[in-house]
Amino acid sequence: MLSIDKMLNSVDDGSVTTQFSVNGRDVAVRDDHPHLLSALRDELDITSPKDGCSPTGQCGCCTVIIDGKAQVSCQVSLAKVAGRSVSTLEGFDTDERTRLASAFAACGALQCGFCTPGILVRTKALLDKKGAGLTRDDAARHLGGHLCRCTGYVKILDAVEMLAASHDARHDQSDQGGPGPGLGGDTVDGGTALELPRGIGQRGIRYEAAELALGDRDYVDDMRVPGMLHGALRLTDHARADVIGIDTAAARAAAGVVAVFSAADIPGELRVGIIHKDWPIMIPEGGRTSYLGDVLAIVVADTREQARAAAALISVEYRVLSPITDPVAAVAEGAESAVWGLEGNMLSHSAYQRGDVDAALAASAHTVHETFETARIEHAFLEPESTLVVPEIGADGELRLQVYSGGQGVWDDRNQIASVLGIDTGRVTVTLVSNGGAFGGKEDMANQAQTALAAWLLQRPVKCTLSREESLLMHPKRHPIQMEYWAGCDADGKLTALKARMVGDSGAYASVGMKVLERAAGHASGPYVVPTIDVDAVAARTNNPVCGAFRGFGANQAQFAMEGVIDRLAEMVGISGWEMRWRNAIVPGVVWGPGQIMDDGCAGVRACLEAVRPAYDAAVAAGKAVGLGIGLKNSGLGNGFKELARAVVHFRETPDANGRDVEVRHCWTEMGQGVHTVAMQVAAEELAIAPERIEVIVDTTRELGAGQTTGSRGTLMGAGSVADACKTAIADGCRTGVDYEGEWRVDWTNALYEGLENPVIHSAFGYAAQLVVIDRETGKLEKVVAVHDVGRAMNPTLCEGQVEGSVHMGLGYAFTEEFPADTDGRPLNMTLRSLAIIRPKDMPEVETILIEVPQPRAPYGIKGVGEIGLVPTAGACAAALRDLDGIWRTRLPMGLPGKGGGAPSDD
């Protein structure tokens, strides 16, 4: 990152026209920037303000202070800032930077960190105005313009409260010449510990917490290299159309344009994909588009704005076809194929059966038959996809590519890029740059292949960053699934049978859609004992937005339906929702769903139910409307996949500038979940060393990984492989200069389609029970009690953050969020605001209770926690609404209680 002096020296005096002050220094910038954010980032190289949605101003990530007032810089023109004073985090007083970052780190108030710099700037403005008078409710209201998709805001508001509580005392001491609370380095607010966790099971700040909070740790779009060009994509105008011609002449002639590339320039394979190679990186002339995220060309220019302007000049001639958008009709016999080059629209079919379900239903004392429907949902990670590719000439004289990616599967990125370029994978190195949120949405490549193609052909560095609109169009979403359920129980409420039929809309390309529907099928019965079961799930191809991995991965869709069935049967039997769940919860030794005999780890279900019981009883006694949901979610891919993770521990001969002399190298994408912190904790524990000595590195120069950072398995498998590497090092005396490798392997699961009598579908599960409480008088969502069995809480602060963030996402899934498309396959919600993500002031209190029932055959007994947090939520919300107004809900979203069914506001 450039210093202020270098920023000033980098300005071309012959082309500047707008002058203002930044962080106390006068600057002059070109007047062709679309807004202040562009000038700060692209010309002055001030990168703590992040670009999450420019120019809409709806995420808050680019917040700066202008003449003492916090403003989103992507909404401020250069004309409006001329002659004024701008402050960013880079220019804050050192003590104030430390104090702000320390409070957020100590409270666990950041995860991926992309939104945090903007929130810190807003917090400073609020503290300057209100001081110790800043209340939690005030902060929640004023932070309404800031989105955080990771934390659920709970710990953010904790941090703001901490800062406000110490504000006046700090100023009093400062007036007397002494430091205020939080400046001593060891504590913040005079008492909260501010240190790295010393080992497993310990609370402590996350790895790189301060750098993330202050915006000092680069994301891909923050990176600059000499001679770097900028790429912009030209997307299709129609979801399903034959491409007759692509005219790039006007684009090539535009100012600053270096090149325009299309499918005709691809030297290798046209199609890529994680599982099926069915996704064209560009649609050629003579080809056919299959969804609105299809790419037609990439424009490369000197600046981002020039590339974008030129991409809009590309003229395309189409023969427009009628899109296929109804998933049920798409898989009907005789339906026309939705996707270019493929026959049929059934992406996958997953089914299993135990016993005679029809007979069991007929003999049941109570039965229910209902159809449930969930919505398509956008991930809304705050960092849009960005890729930087730098060509290099190797020692052998061959051209190689260094790719900087924020994807969830950097080895998959490498392999697919190499296939597109028609070269050996050894000539491509993909370096992971920890991303600004993903939640499954960065498993598939977005712009990596197109950017690599441009850099390869030009032999110059190229960076391509998607706009928010392009991101919304391109990456896969959460599957909308239609689920028809039949269920029965006896007179005592014991389940007798379950039948489920599911159809999921997977959009045009495979992504991992077949696995999502397979997971939904496997989890169809939730954490319940069902003696007879018949499940059939289909993933359909359509011309709607592509759907793939998203936190929960089919389990939360299925659990919404199963919890609805459980609550309906409970009413028929005349028992409470808690009692119905207790009577049917899985216990060790029973047969679950697809036939798996459950191990001792599943005792966590009843442990969660026991832990939530006091809050449940108290809420009922207080006359509140309550809903209860439970759930399970696999940790690991399972289904017969051979999972392998490796790690390396290396002792340096000489410490680095930060005093770190131990390297821990692993293969997992850090995206806010804390896998770097876990790796550090395991090494500190096993090697009995201070965590400050450890540097954590994602090493893509060697084959350490097998697959994506997905399936709630990063902590489990990462911890296992790092621990194994540490044991190898200890056995050899921890010699310097030696790479000590360890691994963790899960190769004992079975695929659903194998049809085994008692398969091991998954090696581990996480379990949860959640209570949703609504006030009957106001109709307002009052509280969520989230009880989670995590096996072993490696870092309780980080575990709580994962649960709170999941609950926030689960509440949005239940009440407000949706990413619908019209009959032309065109998304209707194309801004962050239109997604109706719940804002801070609408978030209820979240009480998190962590349970530790060890998982057999897992390192330290770990169970994944990244996804389970939203699996029970929608079902619990539906039950609470039923208790409130007597209406059963069958479709998501259901409308936020106390808001008249509308979306949350962001004022």
Side-chain angles (χ1 to χ4, degrees), residues 12-75:
D12 180 355
D13 291 334
S15 62
V16 299
T17 58
T18 304
Q19 298 182 2
F20 53 96
S21 171
V22 177
N23 297 328
R25 300 292 299 273
D26 292 335
V27 298
V29 299
R30 301 188 314 271
D31 66 351
D32 57 354
H33 293 286
H35 38 65
L36 173 60
L37 177 62
S38 173
L40 292 174
R41 290 182 56 84
D42 296 338
E43 186 167 347
L44 299 178
D45 202 28
I46 297 175
T47 57
S48 70
K50 307 301 181 186
D51 187 349
C53 68
S54 71
T56 66
Q58 296 179 9
C59 71
C61 295
C62 67
T63 301
V64 300
I65 293 177
I66 303 176
D67 289 346
K69 181 179 179 181
Q71 293 183 251
V72 286
S73 57
C74 75
Q75 292 258 287

Coordinates of all heavy atoms in Angstrom, one line a residue, residues 12-75:
D12 N -0.5 12.5 -11.9 CA 0.0 13.2 -13.1 C -0.5 14.7 -13.1 O -1.7 14.9 -13.3 CB -0.5 12.5 -14.3 CG -0.1 13.1 -15.6 OD1 0.5 14.2 -15.6 OD2 -0.4 12.5 -16.7
D13 N 0.4 15.6 -12.8 CA -0.1 17.0 -12.7 C -0.7 17.6 -13.9 O -1.4 18.5 -13.9 CB 1.1 17.9 -12.3 CG 1.6 17.5 -10.9 OD1 0.8 17.1 -10.1 OD2 2.8 17.8 -10.6
G14 N -0.4 17.0 -15.1 CA -1.0 17.5 -16.3 C -2.4 17.1 -16.5 O -3.1 17.7 -17.4
S15 N -3.0 16.2 -15.7 CA -4.3 15.8 -16.0 C -5.3 16.0 -14.8 O -6.4 15.5 -14.8 CB -4.3 14.3 -16.3 OG -3.8 13.5 -15.2
V16 N -4.8 16.6 -13.7 CA -5.7 16.8 -12.5 C -6.5 18.0 -12.6 O -6.0 19.1 -13.1 CB -4.8 16.7 -11.2 CG1 -4.1 15.4 -11.1 CG2 -3.8 17.9 -11.2
T17 N -7.7 17.9 -12.1 CA -8.5 19.1 -12.0 C -9.2 19.3 -10.7 O -9.7 20.4 -10.4 CB -9.6 19.1 -13.2 OG1 -10.4 17.9 -13.0 CG2 -8.9 19.1 -14.5
T18 N -9.4 18.2 -9.9 CA -10.1 18.3 -8.7 C -9.2 18.2 -7.5 O -8.4 17.3 -7.4 CB -11.2 17.2 -8.6 OG1 -12.0 17.3 -9.7 CG2 -12.0 17.3 -7.3
Q19 N -9.3 19.2 -6.6 CA -8.4 19.2 -5.4 C -9.2 19.1 -4.1 O -10.3 19.7 -4.0 CB -7.6 20.5 -5.4 CG -6.6 20.6 -6.6 CD -5.8 21.9 -6.5 OE1 -5.9 22.6 -5.6 NE2 -5.0 22.1 -7.6
F20 N -8.7 18.4 -3.2 CA -9.3 18.3 -1.8 C -8.3 17.7 -0.9 O -7.1 17.4 -1.3 CB -10.6 17.4 -1.9 CG -10.4 16.0 -2.4 CD1 -10.1 14.9 -1.6 CD2 -10.5 15.8 -3.8 CE1 -9.9 13.6 -2.2 CE2 -10.3 14.5 -4.4 CZ -10.0 13.5 -3.6
S21 N -8.6 17.6 0.4 CA -7.7 17.1 1.4 C -8.0 15.7 1.8 O -9.2 15.4 2.0 CB -7.7 18.0 2.6 OG -7.0 17.5 3.7
V22 N -7.0 14.8 1.8 CA -7.2 13.5 2.3 C -6.3 13.2 3.5 O -5.0 13.3 3.3 CB -7.0 12.4 1.2 CG1 -7.1 11.0 1.7 CG2 -7.9 12.7 0.0
N23 N -6.8 12.9 4.6 CA -6.0 12.6 5.8 C -5.0 13.6 6.1 O -3.8 13.4 6.4 CB -5.4 11.2 5.6 CG -6.4 10.1 5.4 OD1 -7.4 10.1 6.0 ND2 -6.0 9.1 4.6
G24 N -5.4 14.9 5.9 CA -4.6 16.0 6.3 C -3.6 16.5 5.3 O -2.9 17.4 5.5
R25 N -3.6 15.9 4.1 CA -2.7 16.3 3.0 C -3.6 16.7 1.8 O -4.6 16.1 1.5 CB -1.8 15.2 2.6 CG -0.9 14.6 3.8 CD 0.1 15.7 4.2 NE 1.0 16.0 3.1 CZ 2.1 15.3 2.8 NH1 2.5 14.3 3.5 NH2 2.9 15.7 1.8
D26 N -3.1 17.8 1.1 CA -3.8 18.2 -0.1 C -3.5 17.3 -1.2 O -2.3 16.9 -1.5 CB -3.4 19.6 -0.4 CG -3.9 20.6 0.6 OD1 -4.9 20.4 1.2 OD2 -3.3 21.7 0.7
V27 N -4.5 16.9 -2.0 CA -4.3 16.0 -3.2 C -5.0 16.6 -4.4 O -5.9 17.4 -4.2 CB -4.8 14.6 -2.9 CG1 -4.0 13.9 -1.8 CG2 -6.2 14.6 -2.7
A28 N -4.6 16.2 -5.5 CA -5.3 16.6 -6.8 C -5.4 15.4 -7.6 O -4.5 14.6 -7.8 CB -4.4 17.7 -7.5
V29 N -6.6 15.1 -8.2 CA -6.9 13.9 -8.9 C -7.6 14.2 -10.2 O -8.1 15.3 -10.4 CB -7.8 13.0 -8.1 CG1 -7.1 12.5 -6.8 CG2 -9.2 13.6 -7.8
R30 N -7.5 13.3 -11.1 CA -8.2 13.4 -12.4 C -9.7 13.6 -12.1 O -10.3 13.1 -11.2 CB -8.0 12.2 -13.3 CG -6.6 11.9 -13.6 CD -6.5 10.7 -14.7 NE -7.5 9.6 -14.4 CZ -7.1 8.6 -13.6 NH1 -5.9 8.5 -13.1 NH2 -8.0 7.6 -13.4
D31 N -10.4 14.3 -13.0 CA -11.8 14.6 -12.8 C -12.7 13.6 -13.5 O -13.9 13.8 -13.6 CB -12.2 16.0 -13.2 CG -12.0 16.2 -14.7 OD1 -11.5 15.3 -15.4 OD2 -12.4 17.3 -15.2
D32 N -12.1 12.5 -14.1 CA -12.9 11.6 -14.8 C -13.4 10.4 -14.0 O -13.9 9.4 -14.5 CB -12.2 11.1 -16.1 CG -10.8 10.4 -15.8 OD1 -10.4 10.4 -14.6 OD2 -10.2 9.9 -16.7
H33 N -13.1 10.4 -12.7 CA -13.6 9.3 -11.8 C -15.1 9.4 -11.6 O -15.6 10.5 -11.5 CB -12.9 9.4 -10.5 CG -11.4 9.1 -10.5 ND1 -10.9 7.8 -10.7 CD2 -10.4 9.9 -10.4 CE1 -9.6 7.9 -10.7 NE2 -9.2 9.2 -10.5
P34 N -15.8 8.3 -11.6 CA -17.3 8.4 -11.5 C -17.7 8.8 -10.1 O -18.8 9.3 -9.9 CB -17.7 6.9 -11.7 CG -16.5 6.1 -11.4 CD -15.3 6.9 -11.8
H35 N -16.8 8.7 -9.1 CA -17.2 9.1 -7.7 C -15.9 9.1 -6.9 O -14.8 8.7 -7.3 CB -18.2 8.1 -7.1 CG -17.9 6.6 -7.5 ND1 -16.8 5.9 -7.1 CD2 -18.7 5.8 -8.2 CE1 -16.9 4.7 -7.5 NE2 -18.0 4.6 -8.2
L36 N -16.0 9.6 -5.7 CA -14.9 9.7 -4.8 C -14.2 8.4 -4.5 O -13.0 8.3 -4.4 CB -15.3 10.4 -3.4 CG -14.3 10.5 -2.3 CD1 -13.1 11.3 -2.7 CD2 -15.0 11.0 -1.0
L37 N -15.0 7.3 -4.3 CA -14.4 6.0 -4.0 C -13.4 5.6 -5.1 O -12.3 5.1 -4.8 CB -15.5 5.0 -3.9 CG -15.0 3.5 -3.7 CD1 -14.2 3.4 -2.4 CD2 -16.2 2.6 -3.7
S38 N -13.8 5.9 -6.4 CA -12.9 5.5 -7.5 C -11.6 6.3 -7.4 O -10.5 5.8 -7.6 CB -13.6 5.8 -8.8 OG -12.7 5.6 -9.9
A39 N -11.7 7.6 -7.1 CA -10.4 8.4 -6.9 C -9.6 7.9 -5.8 O -8.3 7.8 -5.9 CB -10.8 9.9 -6.7
L40 N -10.2 7.6 -4.7 CA -9.4 7.1 -3.5 C -8.7 5.8 -3.8 O -7.5 5.7 -3.6 CB -10.3 6.9 -2.3 CG -10.9 8.2 -1.7 CD1 -12.0 7.8 -0.6 CD2 -9.9 9.1 -1.1
R41 N -9.4 4.9 -4.4 CA -8.9 3.5 -4.6 C -8.0 3.5 -5.8 O -6.9 2.9 -5.8 CB -10.0 2.5 -4.7 CG -10.7 2.2 -3.4 CD -11.8 1.2 -3.6 NE -11.2 -0.1 -4.1 CZ -10.6 -1.0 -3.3 NH1 -10.5 -0.8 -2.0 NH2 -10.1 -2.1 -3.8
D42 N -8.5 4.0 -7.0 CA -7.8 3.7 -8.2 C -6.7 4.7 -8.5 O -5.8 4.3 -9.3 CB -8.8 3.7 -9.4 CG -9.9 2.6 -9.2 OD1 -9.6 1.6 -8.6 OD2 -11.0 2.8 -9.8
E43 N -6.7 5.9 -8.0 CA -5.7 6.8 -8.2 C -4.8 7.1 -7.0 O -3.6 7.1 -7.1 CB -6.3 8.2 -8.7 CG -5.2 9.1 -9.2 CD -5.8 10.3 -9.9 OE1 -7.0 10.3 -10.3 OE2 -5.0 11.3 -10.1
L44 N -5.4 7.2 -5.9 CA -4.6 7.5 -4.7 C -4.2 6.2 -3.9 O -3.4 6.3 -3.0 CB -5.4 8.4 -3.7 CG -5.8 9.8 -4.3 CD1 -6.6 10.6 -3.3 CD2 -4.5 10.6 -4.7
D45 N -4.7 5.1 -4.3 CA -4.3 3.8 -3.7 C -4.6 3.8 -2.2 O -3.9 3.2 -1.5 CB -2.9 3.5 -4.0 CG -2.6 2.0 -3.8 OD1 -3.5 1.2 -4.1 OD2 -1.5 1.6 -3.5
I46 N -5.7 4.4 -1.9 CA -6.2 4.3 -0.5 C -7.3 3.2 -0.5 O -8.4 3.4 -1.1 CB -6.8 5.7 0.0 CG1 -5.7 6.7 0.0 CG2 -7.5 5.5 1.3 CD1 -6.2 8.1 0.3
T47 N -7.0 2.1 0.1 CA -7.9 0.9 -0.1 C -8.6 0.5 1.1 O -9.3 -0.6 1.0 CB -7.0 -0.3 -0.6 OG1 -6.0 -0.5 0.3 CG2 -6.4 0.1 -2.0
S48 N -8.6 1.2 2.2 CA -9.4 0.8 3.4 C -10.9 0.9 3.0 O -11.7 0.1 3.5 CB -9.1 1.5 4.6 OG -9.4 2.9 4.6
P49 N -11.3 2.0 2.3 CA -12.7 2.0 1.8 C -12.9 0.9 0.7 O -12.2 0.9 -0.3 CB -12.9 3.4 1.2 CG -11.7 4.2 1.7 CD -10.6 3.2 1.8
K50 N -13.8 0.0 1.0 CA -13.9 -1.2 0.0 C -15.1 -0.9 -0.9 O -16.1 -0.2 -0.6 CB -14.2 -2.5 0.8 CG -13.1 -2.8 1.9 CD -11.7 -2.9 1.3 CE -10.7 -3.2 2.4 NZ -9.3 -3.2 1.9
D51 N -15.0 -1.5 -2.1 CA -16.1 -1.3 -3.1 C -17.0 -2.6 -3.1 O -16.6 -3.6 -3.7 CB -15.5 -1.1 -4.5 CG -16.5 -0.8 -5.5 OD1 -17.7 -0.9 -5.2 OD2 -16.1 -0.4 -6.6
G52 N -18.1 -2.5 -2.5 CA -19.0 -3.7 -2.4 C -20.2 -3.5 -3.3 O -20.8 -4.5 -3.6
C53 N -20.5 -2.3 -3.8 CA -21.7 -2.1 -4.6 C -21.8 -0.9 -5.4 O -22.8 -0.5 -5.9 CB -22.9 -2.2 -3.6 SG -23.1 -0.7 -2.6
S54 N -20.6 -0.2 -5.6 CA -20.6 1.1 -6.2 C -21.4 1.0 -7.6 O -21.3 0.0 -8.3 CB -19.2 1.6 -6.5 OG -18.6 0.9 -7.5
P55 N -22.1 2.1 -7.9 CA -22.3 3.4 -7.2 C -23.6 3.5 -6.4 O -24.0 4.6 -6.1 CB -22.3 4.3 -8.4 CG -23.1 3.6 -9.4 CD -22.7 2.1 -9.3
T56 N -24.1 2.3 -5.9 CA -25.4 2.4 -5.3 C -25.4 2.8 -3.9 O -26.5 3.2 -3.3 CB -26.1 1.0 -5.4 OG1 -25.4 0.1 -4.6 CG2 -26.2 0.5 -6.8
G57 N -24.3 2.7 -3.2 CA -24.2 3.2 -1.8 C -25.1 2.4 -0.8 O -25.6 2.9 0.2
Q58 N -25.2 1.1 -1.1 CA -26.2 0.3 -0.3 C -25.5 -0.7 0.7 O -26.2 -1.5 1.4 CB -27.1 -0.5 -1.2 CG -28.0 0.4 -2.0 CD -28.9 -0.3 -2.9 OE1 -29.0 -1.5 -2.9 NE2 -29.6 0.4 -3.8
C59 N -24.1 -0.8 0.7 CA -23.5 -1.7 1.6 C -22.7 -1.1 2.7 O -22.5 -1.7 3.8 CB -22.6 -2.7 0.8 SG -21.0 -1.9 0.2
G60 N -22.3 0.2 2.6 CA -21.6 0.9 3.6 C -20.1 0.6 3.7 O -19.4 1.2 4.5
C61 N -19.6 -0.2 2.8 CA -18.2 -0.6 2.9 C -17.2 0.5 2.5 O -16.1 0.4 2.9 CB -17.9 -1.8 2.0 SG -18.8 -3.3 2.5
C62 N -17.7 1.5 1.8 CA -16.8 2.6 1.4 C -16.9 3.8 2.2 O -16.6 4.9 1.8 CB -17.1 2.9 -0.1 SG -18.7 3.6 -0.4
T63 N -17.5 3.7 3.4 CA -17.7 4.9 4.2 C -16.4 5.6 4.6 O -15.4 5.0 5.0 CB -18.5 4.5 5.5 OG1 -19.7 3.9 5.1 CG2 -18.8 5.7 6.4
V64 N -16.4 6.9 4.4 CA -15.3 7.8 4.8 C -16.0 9.0 5.6 O -17.2 9.1 5.7 CB -14.5 8.3 3.6 CG1 -13.9 7.1 2.9 CG2 -15.4 9.2 2.7
I65 N -15.1 9.8 6.2 CA -15.6 11.0 6.9 C -15.2 12.2 6.0 O -14.1 12.4 5.6 CB -15.0 11.1 8.3 CG1 -15.5 9.9 9.1 CG2 -15.3 12.4 8.9 CD1 -14.9 9.9 10.5
I66 N -16.3 13.0 5.7 CA -16.1 14.2 4.9 C -16.5 15.4 5.7 O -17.7 15.5 6.1 CB -16.9 14.2 3.6 CG1 -16.5 12.9 2.8 CG2 -16.7 15.4 2.8 CD1 -17.3 12.7 1.5
D67 N -15.6 16.3 6.1 CA -15.9 17.4 6.9 C -16.6 17.0 8.2 O -17.6 17.6 8.6 CB -16.7 18.5 6.2 CG -15.9 19.2 5.1 OD1 -14.6 19.0 5.1 OD2 -16.5 19.8 4.2
G68 N -16.1 15.9 8.8 CA -16.7 15.5 10.1 C -17.9 14.6 10.0 O -18.4 14.1 11.0
K69 N -18.4 14.3 8.8 CA -19.6 13.5 8.7 C -19.4 12.2 7.9 O -18.7 12.3 6.8 CB -20.7 14.3 7.9 CG -22.0 13.6 7.8 CD -23.1 14.4 7.0 CE -24.4 13.7 6.9 NZ -25.4 14.5 6.1
A70 N -19.8 11.1 8.4 CA -19.7 9.8 7.7 C -20.5 9.8 6.5 O -21.7 10.0 6.6 CB -20.0 8.7 8.7
Q71 N -19.9 9.4 5.3 CA -20.7 9.3 4.1 C -20.1 8.2 3.3 O -18.9 7.8 3.3 CB -20.5 10.6 3.3 CG -21.2 11.8 3.9 CD -21.1 13.0 3.0 OE1 -20.4 14.0 3.3 NE2 -21.9 13.0 1.9
V72 N -21.0 7.6 2.5 CA -20.5 6.5 1.6 C -19.9 7.2 0.4 O -20.6 7.9 -0.3 CB -21.7 5.5 1.2 CG1 -22.0 4.6 2.4 CG2 -22.9 6.3 0.7
S73 N -18.7 6.9 0.1 CA -17.9 7.6 -0.9 C -18.3 7.3 -2.3 O -18.0 8.1 -3.2 CB -16.4 7.4 -0.7 OG -16.1 6.0 -0.7
C74 N -19.0 6.2 -2.6 CA -19.4 5.9 -3.9 C -20.6 6.7 -4.4 O -21.0 6.6 -5.5 CB -19.6 4.4 -4.1 SG -21.2 3.8 -3.4
Q75 N -21.1 7.4 -3.4 CA -22.3 8.3 -3.8 C -21.9 9.8 -3.8 O -22.8 10.6 -4.0 CB -23.4 8.1 -2.7 CG -24.0 6.7 -2.8 CD -25.4 6.8 -3.4 OE1 -26.4 7.3 -2.9 NE2 -25.4 6.3 -4.7

